[in-house]
Amino acid sequence: MVLNIPLMQQAGVVTGKNLRALMADAKKNKYAIPAINVTSSSTVNAALEGARDNKAPIILQLSQGGSAFFGGKGLDNADQKASIAGAIAAAHYIRAIAPAYGIAVQRSSYPGYCEQADSSPVVLHTDHCAKKLLPWFDGMLAEDEKYFKEHGEPLFSSHMLDLSEESKEDNIALCVKYFERMAKIDQWLEMEIGITGGEEDGVDNTGVDNASLYTQPEDVFDVYKALNAISPDFSIAAAFGNVHGVYKVGNVVLSPQLLEKHQRYAEQQLGQPEGSKPIYLVFHGGSGSTKDEIATAVKNGVVKMNVDTDTQWAYLQGIRDFILKKQDYLKTQVGNPEGESKPNKKYYDPRVWVREGEKTMAHRVAEACTDLGDINRL
Ligand SMILES: [Zn+2]
């Protein structure tokens, strides 16, 4: 399948109308784009490699903690300074390298074209920002506005505000306030209503009551109404029993079929025919989900699924297996089972063992793309 939208002419990071076209394409053609949490140039490269090999659009996202890590844990993160600087550094890195992961597409259906270098569209996003982390958001948004003045687009394609711990009224009001600014620079907003259970990046929701783990259609529509009055470029992470991480969690049941109710309710309120699916939905806490659950979520308008825990695990696997297999080559700089004077440099060079993690992570990213139907989209 070839996407017949102008975004394919643009290399690398997509924003504004190109991002809107990509999201509309995903919703219409019932696939979702995996959002991979990245924390370093190495994990960025692994994610881009997996996406490129599947001709898959990809979302790379940084959490507040991941941003600080990207900048370096040796930095002081007072007032979110390290998270702001790290996120901005990551954004520039991704913008610089993403076009290099271009895909050479054989345009056999177009006589005269033999080969054309296209590029995997990359969405540059930031993950959960709770109220106490707003200084991080403010720092990035200031940079987005500066970048917009110079380049006519924001530095990041999109950001997430997660004010799901606040009252619905406060959540919506703060989202509106920020979205008014973001809309002026053609930026997409992801917001959360209802709570994703579990623990991620220092936010512990393992103790919240069950009702808030399932968002109601009326609440989703209240968000839709308030944000759609500003711009169509937003998505909603509604809770349907999702939990961050891979856990056994008692009586919380993942219920992606509930998402259909959000779409139906919105269609009725808007007087749209059944199946219009006006809402862009986001699936958090997707790690460990079955392929059926994922398929149901995508059918109901999920266009983005976050993948973090499973790619963290995949990144470790390659490194762990290499270290365990080669441990007798990693104990001294010189000397291994092949001889006392044999050098071990080609085993302890980070380009060797870090690369093993990149390979297993790229493979897991490719699997996520496949599960979500995000393959051969270019
Ligand atoms: Zn999440």
Side-chain angles (χ1 to χ4, degrees):
M1 177 186 289
V2 175
L3 280 179
N4 187 25
I5 45 179
L7 76 98
M8 292 307 112
Q9 309 308 317
Q10 187 188 339
V13 171
V14 291
T15 62
K17 66 177 192 310
N18 292 322
L19 174 57
R20 193 182 310 151
L22 177 62
M23 292 302 196
D25 188 78
K27 193 163 68 172
K28 181 164 166 257
N29 293 303
K30 299 191 180 67
Y31 65 98
I33 305 167
I36 309 296
N37 278 77
V38 292
T39 53
S40 62
S41 58
S42 170
T43 48
V44 166
N45 297 348
L48 289 174
E49 187 179 335
R52 180 202 59 194
D53 293 348
N54 279 277
K55 299 182 179 174
I58 194 84
I59 301 170
L60 301 186
Q61 65 185 14
L62 290 125
S63 69
Q64 175 262 350
S67 298
F69 186 87
F70 203 104
K73 289 294 277 180
L75 287 177
D76 180 3
N77 206 9
D79 305 323
Q80 300 295 323
K81 270 196 279 220
S83 287
I84 296 165
I88 292 168
H92 285 289
Y93 175 70
I94 292 166
R95 277 188 170 276
I97 205 66
Y101 284 81
I103 300 162
V105 181
Q106 198 76 33
R107 300 268 184 182
S108 52
S109 52
Y110 295 93
Y113 274 97
C114 45
E115 215 175 44
Q116 184 182 327
D118 277 8
S119 189
S120 200
V122 176
V123 180
L124 182 43
H125 180 70
T126 59
D127 206 0
H128 294 267
C129 178
K131 196 172 183 185
K132 65 175 184 211
L133 301 179
L134 283 174
W136 172 50
F137 202 95
D138 292 334
M140 292 189 292
L141 192 50
E143 196 70 16
D144 284 315
E145 288 169 337
K146 202 172 104 193
Y147 196 91
F148 185 85
K149 270 189 200 138
E150 289 168 35
H151 304 278
E153 63 172 340
L155 178 61
F156 293 87
S157 315
S158 54
H159 294 294
M160 181 194 191
L161 271 179
D162 176 5
L163 305 163
S164 56
E165 289 171 281
E166 315 304 318
S167 70
K168 180 175 85 172
E169 291 69 28
D170 289 355
N171 183 348
I172 292 176
L174 255 177
C175 283
V176 162
K177 186 182 141 213
Y178 275 98
F179 195 38
E180 280 170 345
R181 257 174 91 185
M182 295 167 77
K184 288 192 185 107
I185 54 170
D186 281 342
Q187 198 168 40
W188 188 282
L189 171 70
E190 176 185 330
M191 67 81 69
E192 178 159 329
I193 183 149
I195 291 178
T196 305
E199 188 272 336
E200 183 183 70
D201 216 21
V203 178
D204 188 351
N205 288 331
T206 47
V208 299
D209 67 288
N210 272 5
S212 46
L213 299 174
Y214 299 94
T215 314
Q216 297 305 307
E218 294 79 5
D219 295 337
V220 173
F221 189 69
D222 283 344
V223 173
Y224 179 90
K225 252 189 319 191
L227 296 184
N228 199 50
I230 301 166
S231 155
D233 298 339
F234 64 92
S235 47
I236 301 174
F240 50 99
N242 9 16
V243 173
H244 284 131
V246 178
Y247 305 101
K248 283 264 169 277
V249 282
N251 55 353
V252 181
V253 179
L254 188 72
S255 310
Q257 71 280 3
L258 294 177
L259 298 175
E260 191 183 7
K261 293 187 180 167
H262 303 327
Q263 302 286 11
R264 276 305 291 142
Y265 185 81
E267 285 159 2
Q268 283 158 3
Q269 296 298 311
L270 297 165
Q272 294 181 354
E274 189 170 342
S276 306
K277 291 189 293 179
I279 306 165
Y280 290 102
L281 292 167
V282 178
F283 187 165
H284 282 249
S287 288
S289 305
T290 67
K291 300 200 189 303
D292 273 356
E293 289 165 339
I294 292 170
T296 302
V298 170
K299 186 177 71 130
N300 290 328
V302 164
V303 290
K304 169 180 183 275
M305 186 174 102
N306 289 1
V307 180
D308 187 12
T309 309
D310 286 344
T311 40
Q312 285 179 345
W313 177 243
Y315 190 69
L316 171 70
Q317 282 176 310
I319 295 174
R320 179 201 62 203
D321 293 349
F322 179 85
I323 301 276
L324 292 175
K325 200 167 139 209
K326 303 291 184 191
Q327 53 179 317
D328 293 336
Y329 295 77
L330 298 170
K331 288 173 177 162
T332 49
Q333 279 189 290
V334 176
N336 62 43
E338 290 163 46
E340 264 176 33
S341 59
K342 294 279 186 196
N344 292 323
K345 187 167 163 50
K346 68 176 177 192
Y347 299 100
Y348 63 76
D349 183 332
R351 288 173 295 181
V352 176
W353 55 272
V354 173
R355 177 61 189 148
E356 293 304 312
E358 291 176 352
K359 283 196 258 180
T360 42
M361 178 168 164
H363 189 81
R364 186 62 186 81
V365 169
E367 191 185 323
C369 294
T370 307
D371 290 348
L372 295 172
D374 183 29
I375 45 168
N376 296 323
R377 293 291 167 187
L378 308 177

